[in-house]
Amino acid sequence: MNKNSSNIMALAPNTSKKRETVCIFGTGDFGRALGHKMIQSGYPVVFGSRSAQISSLIPKDAEVLSHAEAAQKAAIIIIAIQRQHYNFLTPLAEILHGKVLVDVSNNLKINQYPESNAEYLAQLVPGAKVVKAFNTVSAWALQSGTLDASRQVFVCGDDMEAKQMVMDIVRALGLTPLDQGSLLAAQEIENYPLQLFPMWKFPIFLSLGLTAFFFFYCLIRDIIYSYVYENKDFSFFIAISIPNRICPILALMLLALVYLPGVLAAILQLYRGTKYRRFPDWLDKWMLCRKQLGLVALAFASLHVLYTLVIPIRSYVSWRTSSSILSQAQKNETQPLNTTYAWLSDSYLALGILGFFLFVLLGITSLPSVSNNVNWREFRFVQSKLGYLTLILCTAHTLVYGGNRFLSPSSYRWYLPNAYMLSLIVPCIVLVVKCVLIFPCLDKPLTRIRQGWERNPQSSE
Ligand code: NAP
């Protein structure tokens, strides 16, 4: 039995409406994968190829003909061929007249050509109706059936009827078509698969910048200062102590930066008295990458947990513990239990544990597979209410950690405060402003504005 045929089980064999034949030009990876999927969905498939020989890789139920013969058998032709080979279509222009040509191609670089591949195809075959689709779906995902995360298929084209025909095929394959408008959108759609983590750039560069800043800050305060004034070599702090200071600082600051744009947007809306005026570009972009900022913050919080777990096995820590015991023995005195300190220490740990637990919960609910299963209100509850609770717990964790050291002169070396004190600035600003915003005199107008009310309707036009 043919190896391929075993995989091909028609998904919709009993559909009352007979599916129309689809032609695919090109028997390469993508053409074959799409052909498999189409046959599974009940479409008769004919391949147009330079070589009409049947290979074992080609789906068993498909025909392979020359380009001209195959094109005549279908109203829709999928061009699964790289753009640089499109010239072969020019002599076929007459046969392709009036047909729907589906451009699935991608480029190697963003904006590689002056016009999109789909527009180029439309210029080469002016009588055809060109539709751009399927370029964001990979051959591998089509064949392995792992399309869960990428079910969306961006579709664009100038001919509404042609676009509708392609969208029907997309739906029949179990995918979700997203109409992106006219063929002018093709360039943007072709750039999607080439973008390198666009939403991650700001969070990653910001966290790298902050990491570098706090690293040098701690280096100066904790290592260089001790070396200069106390002649002590604490350079080994670079391995665990300093990272374990930087990680919670970044986790807290980045978490606060997730909520700061929302607070700024609320202030802007209140000031303008409308939600219909666009936010500045920087604020829009900042709001779009809040999820990524939150996930980077979660990564730093997780590292902080790991670094904290190894504290008891550090040789510096066991040396400090034993020298404290020895000094008590030498003085023949026992330090009484300081219950205030014990309370502070336990509260600090408890706040950290609860904060981290909610942090993880926020991260889990931001996963598409989870967020798709909760409704809008549930999602908002978790991301907004629990998010603020996480910020409160983590801020309190840091405040309790500081305890009475905030006012102690020994906390200031070369007039530099402890790094964790700096990390509290943004979260405290966010929490204070948020508290002000929930006063009814501000919350009520803000809620009305968000429901569409305008203080001065003419000014927003
Ligand atoms: P491929 O494996 O290299 O196949 C391309 C096919 O084009 C060849 O098998 C050949 O088919 C045909 N061809 C090659 N040179 C030709 C020429 N001079 N004249 C006419 N036909 C020629 O490439 P692919 O991965 O299938 O990609 C095909 C298209 O799909 C590309 O535009 C790509 O950007 C797009 N795409 C691919 C993927 C993917 O995951 N692979 C995903 C999305 C979009 P015959 O031998 O049958 O003539």
Side-chain angles (χ1 to χ4, degrees), residues 24-32 47-51 58 64 67 79-88 103-107 117 133-142 193:
I24 300 175
F25 276 5
T27 57
D29 292 339
F30 194 71
R32 289 196 316 269
F47 282 99
S49 172
R50 290 167 304 170
S51 147
I58 293 174
V64 184
H67 292 122
I79 315 291
I81 291 168
Q82 277 88 0
R83 169 189 167 131
Q84 61 269 30
H85 304 311
Y86 280 4
N87 295 342
F88 84 96
D103 183 290
V104 301
S105 63
N106 283 317
N107 293 320
N117 298 350
F134 291 113
N135 68 309
T136 52
V137 181
S138 81
W140 178 81
L142 276 173

Side-chain angles (χ1 to χ4, degrees), residues 224-267:
I224 300 179
Y225 180 91
S226 304
Y227 191 75
V228 172
Y229 281 98
E230 296 157 11
N231 203 19
K232 285 181 185 163
D233 178 11
F234 285 132
S235 53
F236 61 90
F237 275 7
I238 288 177
I240 290 188
S241 300
I242 291 185
N244 200 23
R245 256 166 231 175
I246 296 173
C247 289
I249 288 173
L250 262 95
L252 183 61
M253 286 184 77
L254 294 179
L255 183 65
L257 291 177
V258 170
Y259 293 97
L260 184 58
V263 164
L264 293 177
I267 295 173

Side-chain angles (χ1 to χ4, degrees), residues 142-211:
L142 276 173
Q143 215 148 17
S144 61
T146 49
L147 281 159
D148 277 357
S150 54
R151 284 191 176 274
Q152 293 176 340
V153 174
F154 300 103
V155 182
C156 74
D158 293 336
D159 188 295
M160 279 310 286
E161 205 185 326
K163 200 157 61 171
Q164 200 52 53
M165 285 163 80
V166 176
M167 297 214 284
D168 286 345
I169 295 182
V170 173
R171 271 186 217 102
L173 301 189
L175 304 169
T176 312
L178 283 183
D179 188 347
Q180 298 294 97
S182 75
L183 213 55
L184 283 174
Q187 185 106 348
E188 201 180 325
I189 299 179
E190 285 169 15
N191 286 339
Y192 285 156
L194 297 170
Q195 284 168 349
L196 187 66
F197 305 122
M199 294 295 156
W200 287 91
K201 271 189 194 142
F202 172 63
I204 287 180
F205 284 128
L206 180 71
S207 46
L208 284 179
L210 286 173
T211 305

Side-chain angles (χ1 to χ4, degrees), residues 14 49 90 99 123 156 164 173 214 222 288 339 372 378 396 439 444:
N14 297 328
S49 172
T90 317
K99 306 260 181 192
Q123 285 164 21
C156 74
Q164 200 52 53
L173 301 189
F214 280 108
D222 302 330
L288 284 176
T339 42
N372 289 346
E378 290 161 346
F439 276 115
K444 275 190 187 156

